Amino acid sequence: MHDDDGSDLDAARRYRRRLRKQRAYQADYREKLKRAGTPDRDDFAAAVLRIVVSGSARDIERHGPQWERLIVRELTGKGFEAAAVAQAFRRMVVREVRRMRTAAARREERD
């Protein structure tokens, strides 16, 4: 519904202006962190995921199922499907196992 005085249009303009300002602030903040060499939350999350996946790949029998249960529990609490989460985690671990085996084979070829 539109008012005759154009207030809906004004509100939409203010909203878009606020969004542009927020995007600019976020981009500037991320750039400041990057220049300072300071990790943000996403950097930490990516690092932890790499550690979990590589640790699970190294000892898949012992660590894989434990991490899988924890991750499934966390992400299903956020609304994700348990089977899809488990499958995605297993695929990441399998890819990491493959990567580790390839790296080991290359090291053996060099030696």
Side-chain angles (χ1 to χ4, degrees):
M1 178 172 281
H2 296 284
D3 294 337
D4 290 336
D5 64 1
S7 61
D8 285 347
L9 188 56
D10 290 338
R13 285 182 184 137
R14 284 192 306 274
Y15 176 71
R16 287 192 301 273
R17 193 174 323 126
R18 240 184 357 263
L19 289 178
R20 281 193 303 272
K21 188 175 179 180
Q22 180 63 23
R23 279 193 300 270
Y25 170 82
Q26 284 294 323
D28 186 47
Y29 178 72
R30 285 190 299 274
E31 183 59 34
K32 284 178 187 176
L33 289 176
K34 185 177 177 180
R35 280 193 308 268
T38 304
D40 66 8
R41 193 180 87 171
D42 290 343
D43 296 320
F44 278 103
V48 169
L49 181 60
R50 280 191 299 275
I51 291 166
V52 166
V53 169
S54 65
S56 296
R58 281 189 184 88
D59 193 350
I60 200 164
E61 302 301 323
R62 194 170 85 193
H63 296 295
Q66 292 172 341
W67 280 114
E68 183 179 318
R69 279 191 300 277
L70 290 169
I71 292 168
V72 166
R73 185 181 319 138
E74 178 68 22
L75 291 177
T76 55
K78 305 255 184 247
F80 292 96
E81 293 296 323
V85 173
Q87 185 179 30
F89 179 73
R90 287 183 205 133
R91 282 194 308 256
M92 284 190 284
V93 171
V94 166
R95 281 193 304 270
E96 181 64 10
V97 166
R98 202 175 307 132
R99 188 201 65 74
M100 292 168 85
R101 286 180 181 157
T102 301
R106 286 183 184 149
R107 280 191 302 274
E108 285 180 16
E109 288 174 2
R110 285 192 309 249
D111 295 339

